[in-house]
Amino acid sequence: MRLVADPTQNLAPGAASPRQRIEFLTAHQPNGAKWKYVWRSYIPSYDSIYNSTNLLVSFSHNACPSAGSTSFFHLMQIFSTAIDNPVFVLDIIKDMVYVKDTAAGTYIASATLADFSNRPLLHTMNITYGPSGSIKFAITDSQTGAAVLSFSKSGGIGSDGTYLKFGIYRTTYDGEPAIKAWYGDFVQTQLS
């Protein structure tokens, strides 16, 4: 996957603000549907780019994002069509990668971008969709098995029409870098 540095290219059609995206997505799921998803990713190291003034200003003025920020760089979302927003996001913010529980408005897991990039990753997710659902998500180094990031939660995993999507999806800004990422080996298994 590749997004260019030109904020007028690779734009998502019909978006309220300029956004670039390349994402895989699963089918919309009914309440109670249980799935296991597994995929691999590789995001090269962009240390000099991620520490540039433009990116810091775009993502956040602080080490953690400010409340109400409209800038984002999603790597994964559990998206609810009922509320037309994500339930959970995996985001790059400054020099960190965070999982945000959007309903609670809190960050529930994090890793440094240095730990997340420049290594092959294995993503494993077990999810039951719906108001009484649950999620268990872990990212490990696919070669060593070392834990990189994980979280779990019960209750409030969207409602009818919720689904998984992953890839690279960001708001655009002047001075943005070109980004490359690799995703593959996706396997989905319905558990009920």
Side-chain angles (χ1 to χ4, degrees):
M1 299 179 167
R2 182 175 186 272
L3 295 176
V4 298
D6 183 344
T8 66
Q9 299 297 311
N10 302 131
L11 297 179
S17 60
R19 302 164 184 204
Q20 295 176 319
R21 76 166 71 191
I22 303 174
E23 295 176 299
F24 293 98
L25 60 103
T26 62
H28 298 193
Q29 298 298 316
N31 292 339
K34 296 180 181 182
W35 287 86
K36 179 177 183 178
Y37 303 116
V38 179
W39 70 95
R40 295 179 192 271
S41 70
Y42 181 85
I43 298 172
S45 177
Y46 292 97
D47 293 339
S48 61
I49 295 171
Y50 285 127
N51 289 326
S52 72
T53 303
N54 286 337
L55 200 60
L56 295 179
V57 170
S58 174
F59 285 160
S60 172
H61 295 286
N62 302 309
C64 294
S66 58
S69 173
T70 57
S71 296
F72 62 83
F73 193 137
H74 300 324
L75 299 175
M76 182 277 298
Q77 299 178 65
I78 300 298
F79 195 88
S80 170
T81 58
I83 60 172
D84 196 29
N85 270 305
V87 179
F88 295 100
V89 293
L90 178 66
D91 275 347
I92 296 174
I93 302 171
K94 197 176 177 182
D95 57 352
M96 298 291 291
V97 176
Y98 293 95
V99 174
K100 183 176 183 179
D101 178 337
T102 58
T106 58
Y107 295 91
I108 56 176
S110 64
T112 67
L113 186 57
D115 283 341
F116 200 84
S117 59
N118 214 29
R119 69 195 301 188
L121 299 175
L122 177 66
H123 305 251
T124 304
M125 179 183 294
N126 286 284
I127 187 168
T128 301
Y129 291 97
S132 300
S134 63
I135 186 170
K136 183 176 181 183
F137 182 50
I139 301 172
T140 57
D141 183 304
S142 68
Q143 293 179 329
T144 67
V148 176
L149 180 146
S150 67
F151 80 95
S152 61
K153 183 179 178 181
S154 294
I157 313 299
S159 59
D160 281 332
T162 301
Y163 60 97
L164 164 69
K165 58 182 179 173
F166 58 90
I168 48 179
Y169 177 32
R170 68 179 177 185
T171 50
T172 62
Y173 59 93
D174 289 333
E176 69 185 13
I179 299 293
K180 288 183 182 178
W182 289 262
Y183 287 87
D185 297 338
F186 177 70
V187 177
Q188 59 182 0
T189 306
Q190 189 166 15
L191 303 176
S192 72

